[in-house]
Amino acid sequence: MDDGDIPRRTRTAGIAFAVAALLAAVYAVVTQLTGPVVFEEGEREISVTSGTRFSIRLKDNPASGFRWVLAAPRPDPAVLQGAVGHYDADEPARAGSGGFRYVDFTARGTGHTEVTLRYCYRCGTPQADEQDENARTRRFRVTVD
């Protein structure tokens, strides 16, 4: 073996690391291209497999002062992991025109849990009225296999 040769063990470890990095990159690209499974507001029974990313899509209009929040009881963290969602404005986007809110989750482990979403006025602020007659609640039963 010359001084410039890479030892066989180091070369094998490097190849294994490169293959693992390539597989992780391919998985990330496929996940980004396929995106999460989207369930509509009316679909109250959600069934997914462990590891699945999914979103619940709800009609929203942030200009109204109302917003969707995750309400109690919170989903079982052993079954679901919540993530930051996003808002897509109706096209063409105009002030006050509304759109859709996507609330994102990842199924972590098998089991059953419930997701409760509340559409309330200025939630989490001193101006919020917990007994707001206009608040809407949506409950979703989630089963992870």
Side-chain angles (χ1 to χ4, degrees), residues 98-117:
F100 289 95
R101 171 76 48 197
Y102 293 80
V103 184
D104 302 331
F105 298 93
T106 301
R108 295 186 73 188
T110 59
H112 304 278
T113 192
E114 189 170 280
V115 172
T116 303
L117 298 169

Side-chain angles (χ1 to χ4, degrees), residues 11-44:
R11 190 172 353 135
T12 303
I15 291 170
F17 179 77
V19 168
L22 177 63
L23 290 173
V26 167
Y27 175 78
V29 168
V30 168
T31 300
Q32 288 297 320
L33 291 175
T34 60
V37 177
V38 177
F39 294 93
E40 299 297 328
E41 186 173 345
E43 298 178 75
R44 302 303 173 88

Side-chain angles (χ1 to χ4, degrees), residues 65-69 118-124 129 132 135-136:
F66 282 81
R67 66 184 177 126
W68 287 102
V69 296
R118 186 167 185 265
Y119 193 61
C120 57
Y121 186 69
R122 297 183 180 172
C123 305
D129 179 5
D132 188 348
R136 292 185 288 169

